[in-house]
Amino acid sequence: QVLLAESGGGSVQAGGSLRLSCAAYGYTYNIDNINCMAWFRQAPGKEREGVATIDRNAYTRYADSVKGRFTISQDNAKNALYLQMNSLKPEDTGMYFCAADVGGGYCFLDRALRAKYRGQGTQVTVSS
């Protein structure tokens, strides 16, 4: 079992920035088996959306809606995942979740939505 805990959400005005963090807790064996980490979000009344993913080789993928504004990164020594969000827009408002998956396959955005492990989420609110 791997537990994920997000932090860093909050309320900002459009154009502002936030940095989300996700800490992974669990047995080293389980954490070492993770090969895809991701962020996804869900806004009220909308479907969940994969935002960004990063694999073991630090290859990253982004939703078109956040490309050039968001940056996903990881610190393997700290078992931590980050999402730097710049130039935030009101449409970025939502609950943001950290996710981690095991097994083979590419770390595509849809994998964020069916990952084996996910956190409880952190709220991001962007006002115009």
Side-chain angles (χ1 to χ4, degrees):
Q1 183 71 10
V2 175
L3 299 179
L4 302 174
E6 303 94 338
S7 61
S11 297
V12 296
Q13 290 190 329
S17 298
L18 284 173
R19 186 185 191 224
L20 305 184
S21 299
C22 172
Y25 302 93
Y27 289 112
T28 300
Y29 172 81
N30 290 332
I31 291 178
D32 287 348
N33 280 334
I34 294 172
N35 67 354
C36 179
M37 296 203 72
W39 291 95
F40 69 93
R41 65 188 180 187
Q42 185 160 26
K46 295 185 178 180
E47 294 186 354
R48 293 178 301 165
E49 176 189 20
V51 174
T53 66
I54 186 167
D55 66 17
R56 280 186 169 274
N57 297 316
Y59 187 84
T60 59
R61 293 177 171 87
Y62 297 94
D64 288 342
S65 58
V66 306
K67 278 181 183 176
R69 300 188 298 120
F70 290 12
T71 302
I72 188 172
S73 61
Q74 61 191 357
D75 185 334
N76 293 327
K78 297 181 179 179
N79 293 331
L81 180 72
Y82 306 101
L83 185 68
Q84 177 66 44
M85 306 186 295
N86 299 327
S87 302
L88 283 161
K89 304 176 181 179
E91 51 263 44
D92 294 319
T93 294
M95 188 71 78
Y96 282 69
F97 298 86
C98 172
D101 204 16
V102 299
Y106 291 101
C107 195
F108 291 134
L109 289 174
D110 65 334
R111 198 161 170 191
L113 308 182
R114 51 183 175 83
K116 183 173 184 177
Y117 307 109
R118 66 182 65 176
Q120 294 298 310
T122 185
Q123 177 67 35
V124 171
T125 303
V126 185
S127 58
S128 57

